[in-house]
């Protein structure tokens, strides 16, 4: 097949892929919608084409793009809405496809769409050093198929500011006025950008989306069901005879996405066409999809429609509230019975307490880089002072400090109601045990590389320890003498879909026997059988991962989480923390 001259090589490659994909299914012709044909009296916007070289997130790459500026846009009239199109050249062709720029002319004129800028952007290409001896590297799959936040950051931090500066346009930062569209891998890229950054994008049009095993996208239907619903509005389109290859079945994957979105109460619409892996049907319904996508001014979550377990555990009507911020690395949350919260700033060597009225007080400015904290049955605050190689205690009222053990590194700590002290030592790869009374130090587990967070079960019959890089929280039985036995990788965690580390960290339990674990995905909640129930995403779309979680407040129904810089809180519903001095069987047992 000869490459059409008007297409860059990367676009030609995509066209070949799509052409090959249609061999397995007869193409179905759909009529071109009237909105995609220029009409007399409809103001026509302009397409300005260019090339952009990324220097930060995708270094060395170049990409072609087009910017659509509607005739109605007035720089002095305020900020415009935004629609981003992946594989942009296929969406702004005058001869085929969705002809999105012409449809936008029509819908803006009729008042269905707000005045909006269209960004038609191609995937990046790394040019060869010598084009006569090598070919370019195509970044399309790296940018589009990986379900992480990198491509969203590229749009938000690099490309959109570049377009505003270069073309003198003002684009709204209101996520309700920003949407994305794409087909195939471009479809999953559109969803991923909104999923990762609902603070920047909330409207998604996905055609023949690749929610399959290319680079982890097949995990999305489960993740959508598990995760606290986000404010997104999603139109899903696919063809019933779409691809069925080693990476997965596109039709089944898109059906699974649609059902997952419905399950969790999202604003969603879908239409299924006939044919193979092509945009014929998607282009024919493009005006209809755009009208639906933009018919509301605000995109919201709908707890009443959601069947997600999140609605039973957390107040979905309330967002995370800042308790304390401006820290270097906030960690080690622990709450006393009166509702006072204690936490550390590890590199600063500081211990703080926050009273129930919100007043923050510095308790100790020389903690020895204490990380994890725990409230003991004696009412003292125990701390893992890794920098000082000590285990310390503080009196919560006076702040008086005491060293109870020294000589080992430590990361996180928990205290059994009988006085047993357990703490993790990632540097040595050990879990340590301090016996009650004598404080004799023993190796509770001498071989646990990358051990990190530590917690007791609700009845304090088991000890739980996280594998910071892996996907399991391990369980031990606590014997009568405090030793540990029967280690098992028990709690099966949600890993980042792009294959990154879980960063399983600080933990706590509730009265139902659920385990809550801070991780790179947010707060993961497990049932007593070790199965994940829900994921509570990062507060406020924090860049820093969630690293600690605990219950606080006088009734232990306030959920607190820590990130590097900030402590947040949020009211719980079914959740209620346990008193570390009073173990009990989980409710319902």
């Amino acid at each position: 097949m000869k490459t059409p001259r008007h297409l860059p090589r990367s676009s030609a490659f995509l066209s070949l892929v799509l052409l090959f994909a249609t061999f397995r299914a007869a193409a179905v012709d759909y009529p071109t919608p009237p909105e995609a044909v220029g009409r007399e009296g409809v103001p026509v916007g302009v397409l300005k084409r260019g090339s952009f070289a990324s220097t930060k997130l995708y270094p060395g790459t170049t990409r072609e793009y087009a910017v659509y500026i509607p005739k109605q846009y007035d720089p002095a009239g305020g900020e415009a809405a935004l629609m981003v199109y992946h594989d942009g050249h296929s969406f702004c062709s005058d001869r085929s496809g969705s002809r999105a720029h012409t449809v936008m002319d029509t819908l803006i004129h009729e008042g269905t769409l707000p005045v909006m800028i269209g960004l038609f952007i191609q995937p990046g290409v790394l040019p060869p050093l010598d084009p006569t001896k090598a070919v370019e590297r195509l970044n399309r799959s790296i940018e589009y198929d990986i379900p992480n936040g990198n491509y969203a950051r590229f749009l938000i931090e690099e490309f959109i500011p570049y377009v505003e500066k270069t073309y003198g346009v003002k684009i709204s930062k209101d996520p309700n006025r920003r949407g994305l569209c794409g087909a195939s891998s471009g479809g999953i890229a559109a969803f991923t950008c909104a999923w990762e950054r609902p603070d920047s994008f909330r409207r998604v049009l996905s055609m023949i989306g690749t929610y399959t095993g290319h680079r982890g996208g097949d995990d999305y239907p489960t993740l959508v069901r598990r995760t606290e619903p986000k404010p997104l509005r999603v139109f899903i389109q696919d063809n019933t005879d779409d691809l069925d290859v080693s990476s997965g079945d596109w039709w089944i994957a898109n059906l699974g996405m649609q059902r997952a979105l419905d399950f969790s109460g999202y604003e969603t619409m879908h239409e299924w066409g006939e044919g193979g892996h092509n945009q014929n049907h998607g282009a024919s319904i493009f005006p209809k999809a755009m009208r639906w996508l933009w018919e509301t001014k605000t995109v919201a979550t709908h707890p009443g429609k959601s069947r997600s377990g999140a609605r039973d555990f957390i107040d979905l009507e309330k967002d995370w509230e800042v308790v304390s911020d401006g820290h270097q690395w906030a960690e080690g949350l622990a709450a006393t019975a009166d509702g006072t919260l204690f936490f550390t700033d590890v590199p600063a060597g500081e211990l703080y307490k926050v009273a129930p009225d919100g007043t923050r007080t510095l308790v100790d400015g020389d903690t020895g880089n204490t990380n994890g904290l725990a409230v003991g049955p004696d009412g003292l605050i125990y701390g893992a002072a890794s920098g000082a190689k000590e285990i310390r205690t503080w009196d919560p009222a006076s702040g008086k400090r005491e060293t109870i053990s020294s000589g080992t590194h430590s990361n996180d700590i928990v205290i059994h109601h009988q006085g047993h002290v357990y703490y993790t030592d990632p540097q040595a790869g050990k879990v340590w045990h301090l016996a009650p009374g004598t404080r004799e130090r023993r190796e509770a587990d001498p071989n646990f590389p990358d051990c990190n967070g530590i917690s007791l079960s609700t009845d304090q019959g088991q000890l739980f320890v996280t594998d910071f890089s892996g996907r399991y929280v391990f369980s031990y039985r606590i014997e009568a003498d405090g030793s540990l036995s029967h280690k098992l990788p028990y709690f099966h965690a949600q890993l980042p879909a792009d294959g990154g580390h879980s960063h399983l960290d600080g933990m706590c339990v509730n009265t139902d026997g659920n385990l809550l674990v801070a991780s790179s995905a947010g707060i993961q909640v497990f049932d007593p059988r070790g199965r994940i129930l829900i994921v509570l995403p990062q507060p406020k779309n924090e860049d820093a991962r969630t690293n600690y979680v605990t219950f606080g407040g006088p009734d232990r129904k306030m959920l607190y989480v820590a990130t590097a810089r900030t402590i947040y809180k949020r009211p719980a519903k079914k959740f209620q923390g346990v008193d570390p001095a009073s173990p009990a069987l989980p409710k319902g047992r």
Side-chain angles (χ1 to χ4, degrees), residues 139-168:
N139 261 32
R140 183 171 185 267
S141 183
I142 292 292
E143 296 175 9
Y144 286 3
D145 288 321
I146 296 181
N148 64 22
N150 289 347
Y151 186 71
R153 286 188 58 199
F154 164 73
L155 292 177
I156 296 164
E157 298 173 17
E158 296 189 39
F159 190 67
I160 294 174
Y162 163 81
V163 168
E164 289 182 301
K165 181 179 180 180
T166 302
Y167 296 97

Side-chain angles (χ1 to χ4, degrees), residues 160-231:
I160 294 174
Y162 163 81
V163 168
E164 289 182 301
K165 181 179 180 180
T166 302
Y167 296 97
V169 294
K170 298 177 182 177
I171 295 174
S172 174
K173 290 182 172 57
D174 180 354
N176 294 290
R177 289 170 57 79
R178 290 184 170 197
L180 309 114
C181 175
S184 190
S185 292
I188 189 176
F191 181 80
T192 297
C193 287
W195 177 260
E196 292 288 336
R197 295 300 298 270
D199 61 323
S200 290
F201 306 100
R202 293 192 177 175
R203 302 177 194 270
V204 176
L205 172 50
S206 170
M207 300 180 186
I208 55 173
T210 305
Y211 304 101
T212 56
H214 274 5
R215 294 182 182 269
D218 51 337
D219 206 26
Y220 262 140
T222 300
L223 194 59
V224 168
R225 289 173 179 267
R226 284 178 172 171
T227 305
E228 176 189 352
K230 304 180 182 185

Side-chain angles (χ1 to χ4, degrees), residues 226 470-473 491-495 502 504 524 526 530 532:
R226 284 178 172 171
R471 77 171 313 153
Y472 288 102
V473 179
F491 297 93
H492 185 269
Q494 179 79 47
L495 288 178
S502 62
L504 298 173
Q524 304 193 35
F526 302 88
I532 190 168

Side-chain angles (χ1 to χ4, degrees), residues 319-327 341 343 354 357-360 539-540 542 558-561 563 565-571:
D319 203 350
W320 296 99
E321 179 184 343
V322 174
V323 175
S324 182
D325 61 3
H327 304 288
L341 178 74
F343 70 91
V354 180
D357 65 2
T359 303
R360 188 183 79 182
K540 307 287 186 181
E542 277 269 7
M558 186 65 70
L559 194 63
Y560 290 91
V561 301
T563 67
R565 296 175 294 275
T566 311
I567 308 293
Y568 297 93
K569 68 177 181 179
R570 191 175 182 188

Side-chain angles (χ1 to χ4, degrees), residues 19 35 101 114 203 291 293 304 317 408:
L19 178 63
E35 296 92 340
H101 57 304
R203 302 177 194 270
R291 286 189 177 101
L293 198 65
E317 303 287 353
T408 60

Side-chain angles (χ1 to χ4, degrees), residues 25-42:
V28 179
D29 290 329
Y30 286 92
T32 299
E35 296 92 340
V37 179
R39 298 178 181 178
E40 185 176 350
V42 173

Side-chain angles (χ1 to χ4, degrees), residues 117 185 291 296 488:
I117 304 297
S185 292
R291 286 189 177 101
T296 61
L488 186 69

